[in-house]
Amino acid sequence: MVDRPPIRTTSPVDGLGRGRLTFVQVLAQSISAVAPSAVMVTLPALVIPEAGTATIAVFAAAAILMTLVGYSVGQFAQRMVAVSGLYSYAAKGLGAVPGFGAGWSLIVGYAAAAMASVVGAASYSSALLSRVGVPTGTATTAIAAAAVGLIALALMIRGVRISTRVTLAVEVFAIIAATAVLAVAFVHAVGDSPSGSDPPGEHSSNIGFALLLAITSFVGFESASTVAREARNPLTAIPRAVKWTPLALGILYVGAAAAQMQSPIEQSSGLAIVLSLPDTAGGASAALSILMELGITASWFACVLGSTTALSRTLFAMGREGVMPSALGRTHARFHTPHIALLASVPVIVVVPIVYLLSASSSRDVLLGLLTVSAHGYVIAYISVCIAAPLFLRKIGELSRMPLLAGAAAASMLTALVVWATWSRTFVAGSATAAYVLLLVLGYLIFFLRARPGSEVRARVGVYDETTASDLLVGYRPWEVRK
């Protein structure tokens, strides 16, 4: 007879809500962490000076690469329910030590993305306030950043259903607004200059850095996997979200890049980037600018919610494992959210960018720096999960050719991209790499102090939602990972 492990009386991630989110709300989590409408206006304007006429190809390549990553993530998502997403996946395929590296990289990625989103939301809300006479400056942006953090914290503690509903409504409005503005700008630009405008800058040596920036326009799409326990039918909802979101985003971004390459872009030392409409646009120019600023502000705010939600679930899992302080693994008695992880992370997410703003020359530089650090964290985690997927499938006896080829191709290309971007002739790429390496070293110092070789902590790395005795009594057989 085959010895089976005893049925648990409680799940390792007990305390989080279970089966609350519909597929649409799961999809909202992925979309909000990406902030597509803000990316549609902001990222192409940052990539065009680096990639020039190759901008559209850069975004198309990024979409294909992220689709391969999504396929690898889906191999785990359809077999197990994890509250920390890629962290648990990588740990099951690679083991505790490299798995922690993937999880810590995700924490860096989520945190830096949330910080960048705070800067974006605060900067664009300041631009809106300036239209009614409120003086602009670092002080106004800092106050706006604090307000963004407080509102986001209240929504996330209150519950994931509320935050996903808010982010879905916000992103639908923001995408419509951004698409409308870009479409009008494109039509007027083409009508006035049939031959099109030459994109600023032609720096082929920086294509690697441009591709890394383009990757940041997709990162966060996998965050749906962090709400798997809270989703209904997670073994189908999560794989669908992570597999199809990159393709849909790729269509949006290629269109946005094409529109911005045709339309003149005004860039100042500030973050706000405004598409200049020709005189033929008449009074619509000011109205469209306001509409765009409202949409982008809303989208950045949604990204704060999405990125911090994913971050808090990863910290929650590490707290339950003992890799991080156990207090992070507590949940709110009424709302069933990881409130301690949220209370610990949100102040950092708000204070760091404010300090960065005080020391940097512009909010645009702050955004670019934070996005580049975030890209390093995400990309390393993506490489880890792409390597882990075929190893995990081989371990459970389900390895086939396609997961092996997709994982190997994505991991190889992402590794080459990191090396290429690091050696490109940009200060941001080099300093971001240094910052990421220092943070990774800090994370491993914590890990080796708390998870010594052979300890129970290492054995618990990669927790996921397991079947309990009460589930079996009611005939409910949820989600079981194979060892």
Side-chain angles (χ1 to χ4, degrees):
M1 296 180 61
V2 178
D3 291 333
R4 297 183 180 275
I7 300 297
R8 300 181 62 102
T9 56
T10 59
S11 170
V13 294
D14 191 48
L16 287 179
R18 206 185 212 186
R20 297 181 169 191
L21 303 181
T22 64
F23 172 71
V24 173
Q25 292 171 321
V26 169
L27 190 61
Q29 169 59 34
S30 279
I31 293 174
S32 65
V34 176
S37 52
V39 167
M40 286 166 64
V41 176
T42 306
L43 261 295
L46 298 178
V47 172
I48 289 171
E50 306 294 337
T53 55
T55 298
I56 291 177
V58 164
F59 276 100
I64 294 171
L65 188 52
M66 290 298 97
T67 300
L68 290 175
V69 174
Y71 181 81
S72 294
V73 174
Q75 301 307 306
F76 289 98
Q78 65 191 23
R79 292 173 171 87
M80 63 182 289
V81 174
V83 299
S84 59
L86 271 59
Y87 169 43
S88 294
Y89 300 161
K92 292 304 177 187
L94 301 176
V97 177
F100 172 80
W104 188 255
S105 288
L106 272 179
I107 287 176
V108 172
Y110 289 139
M115 292 175 190
S117 302
V118 167
V119 173
S123 297
Y124 276 95
S125 60
S126 296
L128 285 168
L129 290 172
S130 69
R131 295 180 179 274
V132 294
V134 176
T136 59
T138 303
T140 302
T141 304
I143 293 172
V148 166
L150 286 173
I151 296 171
L153 178 62
L155 286 172
M156 288 183 291
I157 289 180
R158 180 62 180 79
V160 68
R161 281 190 295 181
I162 290 179
S163 62
T164 52
R165 287 171 183 168
V166 169
T167 55
L168 181 62
V170 162
E171 277 300 341
V172 168
F173 161 74
I175 290 174
I176 292 173
T179 302
V181 172
L182 289 170
V184 171
F186 177 77
V187 169
H188 280 283
V190 172
D192 290 350
S193 303
S195 59
S197 304
D198 293 331
E202 290 281 356
H203 308 296
S204 59
S205 63
N206 290 341
I207 293 294
F209 179 60
L211 185 53
L212 186 65
L213 282 178
I215 292 292
T216 66
S217 63
F218 294 84
V219 296
F221 78 93
E222 82 300 326
S223 67
S225 60
T226 64
V227 295
R229 174 181 164 92
E230 295 154 283
R232 302 172 191 168
N233 303 315
L235 298 183
T236 56
I238 307 303
R240 286 177 185 171
V242 299
K243 287 181 179 179
W244 294 108
T245 300
L247 287 175
L249 293 174
I251 295 171
L252 286 175
Y253 296 157
V254 168
Q260 293 197 33
M261 290 179 72
Q262 288 288 339
S263 307
I265 302 171
E266 291 182 359
Q267 294 191 44
S268 66
S269 61
L271 173 59
I273 299 169
V274 178
L275 299 177
S276 299
L277 298 180
D279 293 336
T280 53
S285 179
L288 286 172
S289 295
I290 294 173
L291 179 65
M292 182 178 66
E293 288 169 3
L294 281 170
I296 297 175
T297 301
S299 187
W300 281 126
F301 177 73
C303 189
V304 175
L305 291 175
S307 298
T308 310
T309 294
L311 170 65
S312 66
R313 268 59 179 178
T314 306
L315 289 172
F316 165 83
M318 289 185 173
R320 283 294 171 93
E321 296 163 353
V323 172
M324 293 290 168
S326 60
L328 296 175
R330 297 177 187 170
T331 55
H332 197 282
R334 177 183 175 189
F335 301 129
H336 303 287
T337 53
H339 63 300
I340 301 298
L342 287 168
L343 290 170
S345 57
V346 169
V348 177
I349 287 169
V350 172
V351 170
V352 170
I354 289 177
V355 173
Y356 198 170
L357 282 168
L358 293 173
S359 60
S361 58
S362 71
S363 56
R364 184 177 183 275
D365 291 342
V366 174
L367 180 76
L368 190 60
L370 290 171
L371 285 178
T372 308
V373 173
S374 176
H376 280 70
Y378 279 111
V379 168
I380 298 303
Y382 291 164
I383 291 172
S384 299
V385 80
C386 288
I387 296 172
L391 295 176
F392 173 72
L393 294 175
R394 182 175 181 272
K395 186 185 301 184
I396 65 175
E398 296 184 10
L399 179 61
S400 58
R401 182 178 300 175
M402 187 58 189
L404 177 61
L405 293 177
S412 299
M413 288 188 284
L414 286 171
T415 301
L417 172 61
V418 171
V419 174
W420 189 5
T422 300
W423 288 100
S424 63
R425 296 180 300 192
T426 64
F427 170 76
V428 175
S431 59
T433 302
Y436 169 76
V437 170
L438 287 174
L439 290 170
L440 186 63
V441 170
L442 175 62
Y444 266 115
L445 285 175
I446 296 172
F447 176 79
F448 287 122
L449 285 174
R450 297 185 63 90
R452 301 183 184 278
S455 66
E456 292 184 2
V457 172
R458 288 201 184 192
R460 289 196 297 266
V461 169
V463 294
Y464 58 93
D465 194 15
E466 297 185 42
T467 304
T468 64
S470 60
D471 295 328
L472 298 178
L473 288 174
V474 297
Y476 178 59
R477 299 175 182 271
W479 325 291
E480 195 68 64
V481 67
R482 291 165 215 162
K483 302 287 185 181

